[in-house]
C-alpha cells in the first residue's frame, strides 16, 4: 500500500503522540487512521482522530472507519416515546375575524381587516343618479357616466381585550371608507362622485349556544356614524346603534344586525333615510376552499312602498394573497348620496381581504 508524504507524516505524529500518553490510546490500525484522514468535514475528522487516539469524549458519537459496517460498531440508542398530539381544530372564519377563541387572540392595537378591501376598476350602473348634481356643474347638461370605479378600504383595531375584567368581552374600533370615482368621465374632469366615511365602536361578547343547527358565536353592540363629508345640498349623514348576532355552521356564517337611528339634534339632511335603508341587514357568507360568496339584504319591511337592497360578492384566488372580486348590487342606497335612488350595478376587480 502506498501513502503520500503528508499522510505518512500525519500518521507518524499521531502515533508518536499516542505512544507518549502512557498507554491511553488503544492499538489503532493503519486503516483506522486512514479512515479518519479521508473525512472531509473538519469537526468530524477531529472527532475521529480523538477517538482513535483514545481521547474521545464519552458523549461523542463514534465514527466508523472507512469501509466498516455501521451496524457492527454502533448500537442503536433507545428512543424515548413521544406523546401523540392531537391536531388543533381549524379556526372558523368568524373566530379568526373577531378572535373569538383563545388560539385566535392576537392582543390589542394591531390593524386587522374589518369589511372587504377591494378595488373595482370596472363598474357599470344601469341608472346613474344625476339628480343631486344637477345644480353643481357649470353646464347643466353635463351628467354622470354609467361606467366608473369603486374603492373600499376598511380596518379595525382592538382597543382592549377583556373589558370589564371578563375574557369574553373585547372592545374594537373600526373605520371604513368607500369611494365612487368617475375616472373615465373627462367631460367633468373625472371627479370622485361620492365618498362615504364610517367610523364605529364595537363591543364584542363571545357566546356559545346552539339554535336550529347553528352555533351562536358572538354578540356585537356597536355605534357608528356614516357621512359623505359634504355640505349644503349634497350632505348626507346618520348615526346608529346596533346589535349584531353571529352564527355559523361548517363553512356557512350568518350575521343578523338590527339597528336604531339616533335622532338628529340639528337640521336633518335625510330624514327619510330609514324608509329606504330600513332598520337592519342580513348577511350570509359561504366559503369553499379559497372562494368566498356573500349575500347582503336590506328591507324596510313595509307592505306599501316596500324598498330594500341586495348585494352579491364573490372573491376567488388569483395570485398569492391577491384575489379576484365580483360585485352585483340591486336596490336603494348603494352609497349615501344614492340612499333614495334605485339602480343595478355590476363591478369586477381585485381584493386583498374579504372581511365580514
Amino acid at each position: 500500500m502506498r501513502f503520500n508524504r503528508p499522510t505518512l507524516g500525519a500518521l507518524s505524529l499521531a502515533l508518536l503522540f499516542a505512544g507518549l500518553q502512557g498507554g491511553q490510546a488503544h492499538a489503532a490500525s493503519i486503516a483506522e487512521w486512514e479512515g479518519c484522514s479521508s473525512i472531509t468535514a473538519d469537526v468530524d475528522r477531529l472527532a475521529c482522530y480523538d477517538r482513535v487516539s483514545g481521547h474521545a469524549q464519552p458523549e461523542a458519537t463514534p465514527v466508523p472507519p472507512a469501509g466498516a459496517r455501521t451496524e457492527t460498531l454502533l448500537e442503536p440508542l433507545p428512543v424515548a416515546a413521544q406523546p401523540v398530539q392531537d391536531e388543533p381544530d381549524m379556526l372558523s372564519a368568524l373566530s379568526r375575524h373577531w378572535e373569538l377563541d383563545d388560539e385566535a387572540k392576537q392582543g390589542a392595537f394591531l390593524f386587522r381587516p374589518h369589511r372587504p378591501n377591494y378595488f373595482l376598476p370596472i363598474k357599470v350602473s344601469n341608472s346613474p343618479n344625476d339628480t343631486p348634481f344637477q345644480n353643481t356643474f357649470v353646464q347643466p347638461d353635463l351628467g354622470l357616466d354609467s361606467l366608473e370605479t369603486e374603492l373600499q378600504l376598511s380596518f379595525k383595531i382592538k382597543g382592549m381585550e377583556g373589558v370589564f375584567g371578563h375574557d369574553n368581552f373585547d372592545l374594537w374600533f373600526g373605520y371604513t371608507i368607500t369611494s365612487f370615482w368617475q375616472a373615465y368621465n373627462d367631460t367633468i374632469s373625472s371627479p370622485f362622485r361620492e365618498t362615504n366615511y364610517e367610523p364605529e365602536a364595537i363591543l364584542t361578547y363571545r357566546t356559545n349556544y346552539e339554535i336550529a343547527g347553528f352555533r351562536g358565536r358572538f354578540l356585537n353592540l356597536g355605534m357608528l356614524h356614516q357621512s359623505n363629508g359634504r355640505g349644503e345640498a349634497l350632505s348626507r349623514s346618520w348615526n346608529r346603534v346596533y346589535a349584531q348576532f353571529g352564527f355559523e355552521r361548517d363553512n356557512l356564517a350568518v350575521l343578523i344586525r338590527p339597528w336604531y337611528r339616533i335622532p338628529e339634534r340639528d337640521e336633518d339632511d335625510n330624514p327619510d333615510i330609514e324608509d329606504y335603508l330600513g332598520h337592519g341587514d342580513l348577511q350570509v357568507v359561504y366559503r369553499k376552499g379559497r372562494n368566498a360568496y356573500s349575500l347582503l339584504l336590506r328591507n324596510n319591511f313595509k307592505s306599501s312602498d316596500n324598498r330594500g337592497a341586495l348585494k352579491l360578492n364573490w372573491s376567488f384566488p388569483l395570485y398569492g394573497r391577491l384575489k379576484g372580486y365580483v360585485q352585483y348590487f340591486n336596490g336603494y342606497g348603494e352609497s349615501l348620496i344614492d340612499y333614495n335612488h334605485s339602480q343595478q350595478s355590476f363591478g369586477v376587480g381585485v381584493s386583498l381581504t374579504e372581511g365580514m
Side-chain angles (χ1 to χ4, degrees):
M1 182 182 296
R2 297 184 59 186
F3 300 91
N4 57 32
R5 291 184 179 181
T7 303
L8 290 175
L11 293 175
S12 300
L13 289 175
L15 290 171
L16 178 60
F17 177 75
L20 294 176
Q21 301 305 311
Q24 293 180 8
H26 71 282
S29 66
I30 296 299
E32 289 179 302
W33 290 107
E34 186 179 19
C36 293
S37 65
S38 64
I39 298 175
T40 57
D42 295 340
V43 176
D44 296 337
R45 185 172 61 253
L46 180 59
C48 182
Y49 281 135
D50 285 343
R51 181 187 61 79
V52 174
S53 64
H55 287 272
Q57 299 296 325
E59 65 274 14
T61 303
V63 178
R69 293 174 60 87
T70 305
E71 60 271 22
T72 62
L73 298 177
L74 298 178
E75 295 182 359
L77 298 176
V79 179
Q82 299 294 328
V84 178
Q85 298 181 353
D86 296 333
E87 294 185 1
D89 295 333
M90 295 295 291
L91 296 174
S92 67
L94 290 184
S95 178
R96 291 193 305 268
H97 191 76
W98 292 107
E99 300 183 7
L100 302 176
D101 296 298
D102 293 338
E103 298 84 356
K105 291 187 178 297
Q106 302 181 49
F109 306 116
L110 290 176
F111 282 86
R112 284 88 154 177
H114 183 25
R115 297 175 185 170
N117 288 274
Y118 59 82
F119 174 58
L120 306 178
I122 302 297
K123 184 174 180 181
V124 181
S125 171
N126 72 330
S127 177
N129 186 18
D130 287 316
T131 304
F133 304 95
Q134 288 179 351
N135 298 324
T136 62
F137 298 127
V138 176
Q139 300 181 31
D141 57 336
L142 294 181
L144 301 176
D145 282 349
S146 59
L147 176 64
E148 63 180 8
T149 71
E150 181 180 341
L151 170 68
Q152 178 166 292
L153 299 174
S154 182
F155 66 89
K156 64 180 184 294
I157 299 173
K158 184 185 291 185
M160 183 180 298
E161 213 171 65
V163 182
F164 310 126
H166 200 298
D167 291 339
N168 287 340
F169 280 101
D170 292 330
L171 178 64
W172 296 86
F173 298 99
Y175 185 75
T176 302
I177 179 172
T178 308
S179 293
F180 302 84
W181 180 19
Q182 289 274 297
Y184 312 105
N185 195 342
D186 296 334
T187 307
I188 55 175
S189 300
S190 305
F192 277 87
R193 174 178 65 86
E194 173 79 343
T195 298
N196 295 161
Y197 310 91
E198 193 167 351
E200 59 185 306
I202 309 153
L203 182 64
T204 299
Y205 176 65
R206 180 171 55 179
T207 62
N208 187 16
Y209 59 91
E210 297 286 337
I211 179 172
F214 284 82
R215 183 184 177 193
R217 295 306 314 274
F218 69 84
L219 166 64
N220 281 345
L221 301 176
M223 176 182 294
L224 62 84
H225 166 80
Q226 187 180 23
S227 65
N228 62 359
R230 297 189 176 188
E232 299 180 356
L234 295 180
S235 176
R236 303 287 187 272
S237 67
W238 64 330
N239 301 300
R240 289 170 287 170
V241 292
Y242 66 82
Q244 185 179 49
F245 302 86
F247 303 90
E248 66 182 359
R249 180 178 180 179
D250 299 327
N251 295 330
L252 181 66
V254 178
L255 298 97
I256 303 173
R257 184 176 64 158
W259 60 60
Y260 169 75
R261 185 190 183 189
I262 301 174
E264 297 286 339
R265 293 182 179 180
D266 300 324
E267 183 178 355
D268 196 342
D269 299 322
N270 31 246
D272 58 346
I273 191 170
E274 290 176 288
D275 294 336
Y276 297 90
L277 300 189
H279 304 276
D281 57 25
L282 168 68
Q283 185 177 4
V284 180
V285 181
Y286 177 75
R287 287 178 169 82
K288 184 175 182 181
R290 296 186 61 194
N291 289 265
Y293 311 88
S294 68
L295 165 67
L296 179 68
L297 295 173
R298 290 197 308 261
N299 196 275
N300 61 6
F301 301 111
K302 292 184 177 181
S303 56
S304 60
D305 295 329
N306 184 268
R307 304 184 181 100
L310 175 151
K311 180 186 287 188
L312 293 171
N313 295 324
W314 171 36
S315 68
F316 51 91
L318 283 181
Y319 178 79
R321 295 179 181 272
L322 188 66
K323 294 186 176 183
Y325 200 73
V326 178
Q327 181 184 98
Y328 170 75
F329 178 87
N330 187 343
Y332 291 88
E334 186 175 28
S335 68
L336 274 181
I337 201 70
D338 302 320
Y339 82 91
N340 57 357
H341 178 77
S342 179
Q343 62 184 313
Q344 295 186 62
S345 66
F346 181 81
V348 178
V350 294
S351 75
L352 292 177
T353 62
E354 296 161 0
M356 278 291 179

